[in-house]
Amino acid sequence: MTNDPTMTDAALTGQQVGLSPFDNGYGFVPAVGTPDPDPDALWLVFQGDRLLTVGETVPPRPAEGLTGEVYLGTQQGRQVWAARMTGDAPADQRFSRLRGLYGKLPDWLWMLGGYAYQIVEWDRTHHYCGNCATPTERDPNERARRCPNCGLSVYPRLAPAVMVLLTRVGPQGQPQVLLCRSPLFPPGMYSANAGFVEPGETVEHAAHREMYEETGLSIRDLRYFDSQPWPFPHSLMLAYTAEYAGGEIVPQPGEIEEARWFDHNNLPQLPGRASISRRLIESVVGPQPD
């Protein structure tokens, strides 16, 4: 597998595993510590959930206004740092929401930006101990913040979520998929059903529960498809397909605006290609136009 970050996506076809800085072949190696920043270090600078960019890449380290600098590791031997910026973007640069940068930045940089955002936000929101309010300290040996007073250790948050694409044979013998609309979706867009795993549940139990709670439908033959880190702000999406096992569609108020069966050749607007949901749907129905 190549580690050359200059290679095109076309050259990497069939080699990329998924949307993660750790498994995509671009050579990112995570690390902790506080080395002196190299002059040529890669800096991922955020203001809220917006990344500082210039053209189709990120600029060198800003001369001023940085806070919360965090060392992330190396990319092809080059140091990678993340930080927050308190002031305005310099001239010729801009802050843009990370989601909207998919397809505008190289994939390896977009994926790394997602990881950086998760770490920066975790670090920002855990400066004080949740047990005794003492200022926490970064652990020099692992990605954690520790309380010097009571010993509480805090690690980066991760919220697992399960996504299920339900399939069936329709009344006329045609293959169909169930797609749902969240009230938060853009107009006209549908996706596979998804929800967070609750404490005490397995992922499989969550898949059955979420589908029944949100649509009133039962499932069977749950089959794992793939996973994707989803840094908005700290989720891990686990995607599955399943077969319809009965029930009538009853959308859950406040969660599902509409749920419908769609023929494979008559689909609505689908999520963008940044999301695993698009890959999940296309794995069943085939490639779709944007």
Side-chain angles (χ1 to χ4, degrees), residues 204-218:
E204 293 76 15
H205 182 273
H208 285 264
R209 175 187 55 76
E210 281 288 340
M211 184 65 73
Y212 186 78
E213 284 182 356
E214 296 193 348
T215 70
L217 303 181
S218 299

Side-chain angles (χ1 to χ4, degrees), residues 7-19:
M7 290 190 69
T8 64
D9 292 336
L12 287 168
T13 299
Q15 298 181 19
Q16 290 175 271
V17 177
L19 292 179

Side-chain angles (χ1 to χ4, degrees), residues 102-137:
Y102 182 76
K104 299 177 182 178
L105 297 179
D107 278 357
W108 70 270
L109 185 55
W110 189 82
M111 292 182 262
L112 196 55
Y115 173 64
Y117 173 63
Q118 286 182 280
I119 299 302
V120 164
E121 278 299 288
W122 161 77
D123 189 75
R124 179 184 69 83
T125 56
H126 290 83
H127 277 196
Y128 296 92
C129 176
N131 180 54
C132 67
T134 302
T136 60
E137 300 171 350

Side-chain angles (χ1 to χ4, degrees), residues 201-283:
E201 289 188 312
T202 65
V203 174
E204 293 76 15
H205 182 273
H208 285 264
R209 175 187 55 76
E210 281 288 340
M211 184 65 73
Y212 186 78
E213 284 182 356
E214 296 193 348
T215 70
L217 303 181
S218 299
I219 67 175
R220 61 183 175 86
D221 294 339
L222 190 67
R223 297 177 297 279
Y224 178 74
F225 170 71
D226 204 353
S227 65
Q228 179 188 359
W230 193 242
F232 304 107
H234 46 72
S235 299
L236 174 65
M237 188 65 71
L238 305 161
Y240 291 79
T241 60
E243 294 184 13
Y244 168 67
E248 298 294 329
I249 296 175
V250 181
Q252 183 180 17
E255 293 290 334
I256 300 297
E257 190 173 271
E258 184 181 21
R260 290 173 51 193
W261 291 103
F262 290 90
D263 295 348
H264 288 196
N265 61 0
N266 186 28
L267 297 176
Q269 178 186 344
L270 300 178
R273 299 189 182 278
S275 170
I276 194 174
S277 58
R278 180 63 171 262
R279 289 193 289 122
L280 175 64
I281 294 168
E282 290 188 339
S283 75

Side-chain angles (χ1 to χ4, degrees), residues 42-54:
L42 178 68
W43 282 86
L44 298 155
V45 177
F46 293 88
Q47 195 172 75
D49 63 351
R50 298 182 300 160
L51 176 67
L52 185 65
T53 62
V54 53

Side-chain angles (χ1 to χ4, degrees), residues 33-239:
T34 54
D36 293 330
D38 288 339
D40 68 341
L42 178 68
W43 282 86
L44 298 155
V45 177
F46 293 88
Q47 195 172 75
D49 63 351
R50 298 182 300 160
L51 176 67
L52 185 65
T53 62
V54 53
E56 296 181 352
T57 187
V58 293
R61 177 180 181 171
E64 57 185 21
L66 292 190
T67 185
E69 295 95 333
V70 180
Y71 176 60
L72 299 180
T74 59
Q75 171 81 21
Q76 292 292 328
R78 181 186 183 189
Q79 285 186 356
V80 181
W81 289 77
R84 292 176 284 116
M85 190 170 179
T86 56
D88 296 330
D92 82 339
Q93 301 172 21
R94 61 180 298 179
F95 283 104
S96 300
R97 295 192 183 280
L98 197 57
R99 284 198 194 197
L101 290 173
Y102 182 76
K104 299 177 182 178
L105 297 179
D107 278 357
W108 70 270
L109 185 55
W110 189 82
M111 292 182 262
L112 196 55
Y115 173 64
Y117 173 63
Q118 286 182 280
I119 299 302
V120 164
E121 278 299 288
W122 161 77
D123 189 75
R124 179 184 69 83
T125 56
H126 290 83
H127 277 196
Y128 296 92
C129 176
N131 180 54
C132 67
T134 302
T136 60
E137 300 171 350
R138 290 178 183 167
D139 189 298
N141 300 311
E142 60 179 337
R143 189 71 69 196
R145 295 192 70 100
R146 304 196 188 282
C147 177
N149 181 51
C150 71
L152 180 71
S153 297
V154 184
Y155 296 87
R157 298 167 60 189
L158 191 64
V162 62
M163 172 178 289
V164 178
L165 181 65
L166 194 57
T167 65
R168 76 170 187 180
V169 176
Q172 307 302 320
Q174 74 278 30
Q176 294 182 320
V177 292
L178 182 82
L179 299 177
C180 305
R181 261 196 60 75
S182 162
L184 302 178
F185 283 177
M189 194 185 85
Y190 289 72
S191 185
N193 180 257
F196 287 103
V197 180
E198 297 289 343
E201 289 188 312
T202 65
V203 174
E204 293 76 15
H205 182 273
H208 285 264
R209 175 187 55 76
E210 281 288 340
M211 184 65 73
Y212 186 78
E213 284 182 356
E214 296 193 348
T215 70
L217 303 181
S218 299
I219 67 175
R220 61 183 175 86
D221 294 339
L222 190 67
R223 297 177 297 279
Y224 178 74
F225 170 71
D226 204 353
S227 65
Q228 179 188 359
W230 193 242
F232 304 107
H234 46 72
S235 299
L236 174 65
M237 188 65 71
L238 305 161

